[in-house]
Amino acid sequence: MALTRRCYSAMIIEVYLLCLCFSIRSCENSINDEKPPNIILILTDDQDIELGGMTPMVKTKQLIGDAGMTFTNMFATTPLCCPSRGSILTGNYAHNTRIVNNSLSGNCSSEAWQQGPEQDTFATRVKNHGYKTFYAGKYMNQYGKKGAGGVQHVPPGWDQWHALVGNSVYYNYTLSNNGKAEIHKDDYKTDYLTDVIHTKAMEFLKTHTKLGSNPFLLTLAPPACHQPFTPAPQYASKFSSLQAPRNGSFNKAAGNAKHWLVQQPPNPMANDTIKLIDQYFRNRWRTLLSVDDMVEDIVNFLDDAKILNDTYIFYTSDNGYHLGQFSLPYDKRQPYEFDIRVPLMVRGPGIKGGTVSKVGFSS
């Protein structure tokens, strides 16, 4: 039985973030009832808000945020990659997905995950409603490894599957190309992971617009701006004069009011540690410039193909990051703004451009 547009709107909300209910329910009457919308999710890795992580994303902010809605109070449920991604995929908190860390024993892409929560994700739900589904990039930190079923394991719900084996890198990695190993080395032209994801996404969109009549779900998970923070060569010298922000809690002792773990780092930080933090800060921004290029190409293609106005585009991250806050040199995992606050922008049918929402949400 065909679903009404209201049902599709409810499905989208179910697919990703309750935040969309604010956008969709307020404008359902203005949306064409004839065809369900396409959905694109761009999920970056470790991209913060508190340290200016969206600053280098000039084109992305213009093409998604300025053309849609920006949420200023979006939080990761757990400031760690695999638990957060499990929550994004399923809509459940970590105590329900049972993913407690990034290890196989911590349920990251484990057999228990595969036989349990992975059977009911936003991919399986939209697939059941006739969507063509595509995934490219980092999935879960243990995905594709021997103990997690190898590259042969393709999670349910995905028609096209191009997932990274293991954790984020930029060169020298393996993808599961629909269940078969696709090995990449260190040639920028053919192997830089963000650009490989970019190319595969464009190939899918070009093919789908020619041959497909079904709506699509396109999920892209680039490695940026995760360690090892390797920028594309054309961006390797950008932001050369910038330093990591020195405001707020940078290089300050946590004090007794904070939990014991945050009290452990030496304070003040050593000069060589601060230099390394500055280098990491610049390279994180540099890696994001390739994501910015990808967003621009996708939006321009959708516009040229006359399907931009039929497509919801989400942009967010799995968790934030810190660089020297409370003298913690670099990482995430902490229950503070720098590690839990993440970007969220969405554009699509019925969403008024330039809208800002302060409503709080978690992934």
Side-chain angles (χ1 to χ4, degrees):
M1 181 175 67
L3 295 177
T4 66
R5 190 61 172 201
R6 180 175 295 273
C7 291
Y8 277 114
S9 297
M11 180 189 67
I12 296 169
I13 299 166
E14 194 174 52
V15 168
Y16 187 69
L17 303 173
L18 288 174
C19 69
L20 190 53
C21 71
F22 178 83
S23 308
I24 301 303
R25 289 179 182 173
S26 64
C27 58
E28 282 179 320
N29 292 335
S30 66
I31 301 177
N32 188 333
D33 288 336
E34 295 180 357
K35 184 181 178 182
N38 305 307
I39 305 169
I40 296 177
L41 169 62
I42 300 166
L43 178 65
T44 56
D45 201 350
D46 289 4
Q47 187 174 5
D48 66 273
I49 282 289
E50 292 296 294
L51 308 184
M54 283 301 299
T55 302
M57 311 296 291
V58 175
K59 294 179 282 192
T60 298
K61 289 187 293 182
Q62 177 186 355
L63 295 170
I64 302 180
D66 293 350
M69 180 176 286
T70 299
F71 292 84
T72 58
N73 286 304
M74 174 64 178
F75 299 94
T77 58
T78 308
L80 186 62
C81 297
C82 207
S84 178
R85 287 168 182 259
S87 294
I88 291 170
L89 285 161
T90 64
N92 293 318
Y93 286 109
H95 62 266
N96 288 320
T97 65
R98 303 296 178 92
I99 303 174
V100 298
N101 56 40
N102 290 339
S103 69
L104 196 62
S105 62
N107 212 28
C108 181
S109 203
S110 66
E111 183 177 357
W113 157 262
Q114 292 172 13
Q115 294 181 357
E118 192 177 60
Q119 297 295 315
D120 184 18
T121 65
F122 64 71
T124 62
R125 297 208 175 195
V126 297
K127 179 66 177 173
N128 288 339
H129 289 295
Y131 274 70
K132 190 76 171 178
T133 58
F134 175 99
Y135 194 101
K138 176 178 172 178
Y139 181 60
M140 290 186 156
N141 299 56
Q142 297 299 321
Y143 172 77
K145 296 184 178 180
K146 185 177 179 180
V151 297
Q152 296 82 11
H153 173 66
V154 176
W158 299 104
D159 295 308
Q160 290 198 36
W161 180 252
H162 308 278
L164 175 68
V165 174
N167 202 3
S168 284
V169 290
Y170 300 80
Y171 294 108
N172 297 307
Y173 57 88
T174 299
L175 295 179
S176 171
N177 186 338
N178 297 312
K180 296 182 179 180
E182 178 180 307
I183 298 172
H184 287 264
K185 296 185 179 180
D186 58 0
D187 183 343
Y188 169 71
K189 293 181 180 179
T190 57
D191 301 315
Y192 189 69
L193 181 53
T194 302
D195 289 358
V196 169
I197 295 167
H198 182 167
T199 299
K200 289 181 181 294
M202 295 304 295
E203 289 173 350
F204 169 81
L205 288 172
K206 291 173 183 177
T207 301
H208 186 78
T209 52
K210 289 180 181 179
L211 304 176
S213 58
N214 290 20
F216 63 79
L217 165 68
L218 181 74
T219 303
L220 307 177
C225 47
H226 195 284
Q227 201 170 11
F229 321 119
T230 308
Q234 68 269 30
Y235 296 132
S237 61
K238 291 283 188 179
F239 313 121
S240 58
S241 63
L242 294 186
Q243 294 180 329
R246 301 301 202 254
N247 59 343
S249 58
F250 181 84
N251 203 17
K252 292 183 179 179
N256 294 332
K258 304 298 181 184
H259 67 285
W260 69 272
L261 187 60
V262 180
Q263 297 178 35
Q264 304 311 306
N267 177 266
M269 294 184 292
N271 288 336
D272 58 350
T273 299
I274 294 176
K275 288 180 181 179
L276 183 62
I277 286 172
D278 287 336
Q279 178 184 339
Y280 283 179
F281 176 78
R282 290 188 289 269
N283 279 336
R284 281 168 57 81
W285 279 22
R286 290 163 178 161
T287 64
L288 288 167
L289 294 177
S290 295
V291 180
D292 209 32
D293 291 340
M294 178 176 70
V295 171
E296 180 184 38
D297 272 3
I298 288 171
V299 172
N300 286 343
F301 176 83
L302 297 174
D303 193 21
D304 290 342
K306 303 187 185 308
I307 56 174
L308 180 59
N309 292 333
D310 300 320
T311 304
Y312 288 101
I313 307 176
F314 293 91
Y315 185 96
T316 191
S317 180
D318 55 359
N319 48 254
Y321 207 72
H322 59 254
L323 287 168
Q325 284 64 47
F326 297 129
S327 294
L328 296 162
Y330 49 89
D331 199 14
K332 51 265 187 173
R333 306 170 196 265
Q334 302 305 320
Y336 299 105
E337 296 272 328
F338 39 76
D339 285 357
I340 62 174
R341 188 182 289 273
V342 294
L344 174 63
M345 300 180 294
V346 56
R347 69 170 292 168
I351 299 178
K352 184 179 179 181
T355 307
V356 175
S357 173
K358 295 183 180 180
V359 178
F361 293 100
S362 64
S363 53

